[in-house]
Amino acid sequence: MLDNILTMKDITMQFGGVVAVDNLSLEVNRGEIVSLIGPNGAGKTTAFNVITGVYAPTNGAVYFKGNMITSNFPKGSMKKLYAGQNRGVYTTTMRKTPDQITKLGVARTFQNIRLFKELSTFENVLIAKHMRSKANVFSATLGLNYKEERQMREETMKLLDILGLVEVKDEVANSLPYGQQRHLEIARALATNPELLLLDEPAAGMNPQETDELTSFIYDIRKKFNLTIFMIEHHMDLVMDISDRIYVLDFGKLIASGTPAEIQSNQRVIEAYLGVQDDGEE
Amino acid sequence: MSKIRKSIYTAILAVIIIALMFFLEANKFRFGMAYTVIQKGLILSVVAVSMNLVTGFTGLFSLGQAGFMAIGAYVTAIFLIPADGMAEVYYISGVNPSIMSFKYWLESGPAWVQSMYPILALILGGLVAAVFAAIIGFPVLRLKSDYLAIATLGFSEIVRAIISSPQLDTITNGSYGLKKIPGFDSLFETFAIMAVCVLLMVLLLRSTYGRAFRAIREDEVAAEAMGINLSRHKQMSFIIGSFFSAVSGGMLAMFMRSIDSKTFSVSLTYDILLIVVIGGIGSVTGSVIASLLVTASKEWWLRFFDAPLYIGNFQVPLFRTGFRMVIFSVILLLVVLFYQRGIMGKNEFSWDRLSLRVRKLLGGRKRGAKNAR
Ligand SMILES: Nc1ncnc2c1ncn2[C@@H]1O[C@H](COP(=O)(O)OP(=O)(O)OP(=O)(O)O)[C@@H](O)[C@H]1O
Ligand SMILES: [Mg+2]
């Protein structure tokens, strides 16, 4: 049975005249691994930013587990500039902030790693536990929430253990090798107890061996944490290997969607990538 | 270094500080300069740490400290000036009757409650400033760093202008300022209040909220993606910081015994900023050490430059009143140019670090013990 966890409906995101995402509709079902691919500048990261509430879309709506988390229609100066269709379809405007969306169960990593650079590995993960803290600022200052604090630390240790980051738990995030920084970003995202994990180019900057290991790593965390994964990736081997379904963006428009086999033989996709099978972007 | 050894060192240090405190108290006339400088240094360390909380730990570049200190100072002063001295202080335009009746009510309280008035006054000053911080924080904290700095600096000047405005003559005594403010009973009292304030801020910074503040400082976008409500936490840090700035302002009023709106001009904020930078942005112990050092050098050690200096019959030029401030600014410039991280950087004092430093100084390159953090 297919159970919808994420739905984007008619999402258009314009920055002035630049249409970064053009009328994009897609769905991700519970338990799936879905990939979003496309050439550089296709609008993939922008789509993630709309889902996580970083940007308010120009038009369209996003649903998480059937509940609307973002909805908008062209207004203000966008009313004149709006380039998409579906102008009159969405009439409500609502937008949850990124922290609210994270609390609902959507976690993400960033394309250009955004760790808390000067904090330790341990603190990086521990911070993600803050939002579930029930203590107010006074009781936390006076240490009255010591039970909760201890539990937060234990959970963090457990997570670091699972992700193989225990040895570097006291190292400053900035000093970690690149591959470990990517792992730490994922650890930090997992610490928010997500149901849906958005990975923005998890293999970027990894060496071939690390990229190979990533496949089993992603399967692993999906199973352990009961996750649905929506991923942007340029490494075609990885994408074809791991994805249940794939969406392809080009110039903000959805040009194809389907299983890896369908995508590989899709003429428009091949054209968009100019016949290059493995983009291998660094 | 073993835990026991560290606790022994800490205990020794505490005993030395307390002994020094009592020694200075007993000999305050002989060591008047040291006494005053340490007292003022302790007071400024509260506001320096509070600025560090907001700027160094939460990443909000706020320059409103002097304004919040002024609020704290005036509330504390009005609360504490003895009722029968009020007429003399407000001799030009008189005192607002409701303040007077409030003061008579205060003085009818039981003696033990009255002995708590300095503490209550400081807390009340802090709370009033916190309310102001909540009101201006809402619009102002949306601004990015440099605009935030300008806006808070503006706020600070507005507070000053309002305090000295003739409309408030019967409350703040306008531009004449307030006098006859009762002072601290002892250096130890100053130290105790300062220690409690700094301890509370340290505990806050170590709590889960402190971690959230640092996350915001490091990366707002990532912090928000970790479920941290940016505006709520920024507001919290700003309000708490303002509370302690105001407490420090109240303490300053008690220390100076008389204040006016000029006491809290931009140059005070500048002094505090200096302390924070020299101590290390993001280090509480750095701020405390720098408060003492900066106050001592500004008001004591560098005084030498203010007196005319003769070598034989030749009067060395430049040595005259105000020259010490030039020297002081040059020192600041050098710190900013060559020693940006300040005394402590982002680190806190620890015996391990100290012993490492000492060993390095002595040239013993034994272990390449890596940075502890
Ligand atoms: N905040 C912004 N303001 C203006 N334009 C933007 C903004 N963010 C993205 N864009 C534009 O939107 C388009 C899509 O960018 P996006 O980062 O989503 O691409 P992408 O598919 O993630 O590319 P890449 O593979 O390089 O990561 C680009 O043309 C980019 O310049
Ligand atoms: Mg991208």
Side-chain angles (χ1 to χ4, degrees), chain A residues 203-219:
Chain A
M206 284 191 171
N207 60 37
Q209 192 205 339
E210 285 171 329
T211 308
D212 281 349
E213 286 165 4
L214 198 62
T215 310
S216 59
F217 176 76
I218 291 175
Y219 278 132

Side-chain angles (χ1 to χ4, degrees), chain A residues 98-99 102-103 110 114 116-118 123 126-128 130-131 135-137 140-141 149 152-153 170 172 188, chain B residues 200 203-204 207-209 211-212 214-215 218-219 221-229 233 236 240 346 373:
Chain A
D99 56 294
T102 305
K103 280 191 193 107
F110 295 91
R114 300 190 83 130
F116 305 121
K117 290 194 182 74
E118 297 197 9
E123 285 175 306
L126 189 54
I127 280 165
H130 174 69
M131 66 173 187
N136 63 37
V137 66
T141 299
E149 177 83 20
M152 278 158 63
R153 285 171 185 269
D170 292 323
V172 179
R188 196 178 63 169
Chain B
L200 284 174
L203 288 175
L204 168 67
S207 77
T208 180
Y209 284 89
R211 285 194 296 270
R214 272 178 290 155
E218 296 286 314
D219 191 327
V221 176
E224 211 175 14
M226 291 296 108
I228 293 170
N229 184 330
H233 284 82
M236 208 183 276
I240 295 171
K346 274 194 178 132
R373 239 163 72 93

